Amino acid sequence: CHRSDPRLSDCIKNSVESLRPLLARGIPEFDIPSCEPLCIPEVVIDRGAGAVAVRSTYRDIKVYGPSQFVLRHIRIDMERNRIRIKLWLPRLQLTSKYTMEGRILMMPISGTGTSRGNYTNIDATVSMHGQRIKKDNETYFNVKDFYVDFNIGHATIQLDDLFNGNKEL
């Protein structure tokens, strides 16, 4: 797509749609891994203090369904080197190993085990800020910052051994 194209957003939309099957299995020549499943080594969630204070770590995360996104809108601001994309995902399924420590109100909560999550009806907004770089007499857009904001329509999460086997809790 050329930045002078008056229909630049449509061109990029069409390019993304044609890339969808390749994204699912990966593009090794560009160091783009497969996103089916999308593998994430680790995520740490630390909810500080107060009535709910929980720290959880998720490892070996596998995400199924990210290539099924629907591209809803693209806005490109070439002058400010910004791109904003709105997506909708019908469903994501996650599996991981987790550890959790903390408390909810006065009840201690801890556990280690397998976690599974199902998330549906996800609206996501992706914002990218980049810079133009010259390479071999060509100008490229290099992404510097990448932010994702999302709203989940419905979520179910299962945490095996949440209370380390204590059936009463």
Side-chain angles (χ1 to χ4, degrees):
C1 299
H2 297 281
R3 68 182 180 156
S4 61
D5 186 343
R7 298 182 53 136
L8 180 60
S9 293
D10 291 335
C11 179
I12 290 176
K13 237 178 168 174
N14 293 334
S15 294
V16 169
E17 287 302 325
S18 66
L19 281 173
R20 182 191 306 274
L22 298 174
L23 293 173
R25 59 180 186 263
I27 310 171
E29 53 270 24
F30 293 115
D31 292 325
I32 298 173
S34 166
C35 71
E36 290 293 340
L38 178 62
C39 298
I40 303 169
E42 181 178 82
V43 171
V44 177
I45 300 173
D46 193 353
R47 172 79 170 107
V52 177
V54 177
R55 178 181 171 86
S56 55
T57 303
Y58 301 87
R59 289 188 178 86
D60 301 322
I61 304 163
K62 302 234 183 315
V63 183
Y64 300 89
S67 68
Q68 301 305 310
F69 66 88
V70 174
L71 196 53
R72 290 200 165 157
H73 179 73
I74 295 178
R75 193 174 112 226
I76 301 162
D77 183 343
M78 293 305 293
E79 300 305 314
R80 296 174 56 202
N81 295 321
R82 295 181 190 266
I83 299 173
R84 186 179 188 109
I85 302 170
K86 293 193 179 210
L87 306 168
W88 177 75
L89 291 142
R91 176 185 201 101
L92 289 178
Q93 294 176 289
L94 282 73
T95 61
S96 72
K97 300 296 181 194
Y98 84 93
T99 57
M100 185 177 294
E101 289 289 330
R103 65 179 53 248
I104 297 175
L105 298 176
M106 298 298 287
M107 184 172 65
I109 184 168
S110 67
T112 300
T114 301
S115 73
R116 286 175 284 288
N118 287 306
Y119 307 89
T120 58
N121 194 23
I122 304 156
D123 285 310
T125 301
V126 178
S127 299
M128 291 178 270
H129 182 247
Q131 66 184 14
R132 294 180 202 162
I133 58 169
K134 286 237 184 227
K135 186 175 177 181
D136 299 326
N137 281 338
E138 295 283 338
T139 302
Y140 295 88
F141 183 79
N142 185 44
V143 177
K144 288 175 32 181
D145 296 313
F146 186 91
Y147 300 98
V148 179
D149 185 26
F150 55 90
N151 290 309
I152 298 171
H154 187 264
T156 58
I157 301 170
Q158 178 177 335
L159 301 168
D160 293 347
D161 297 322
L162 181 57
F163 298 103
N164 291 321
N166 185 331
K167 300 286 184 197
E168 292 171 0
L169 290 176

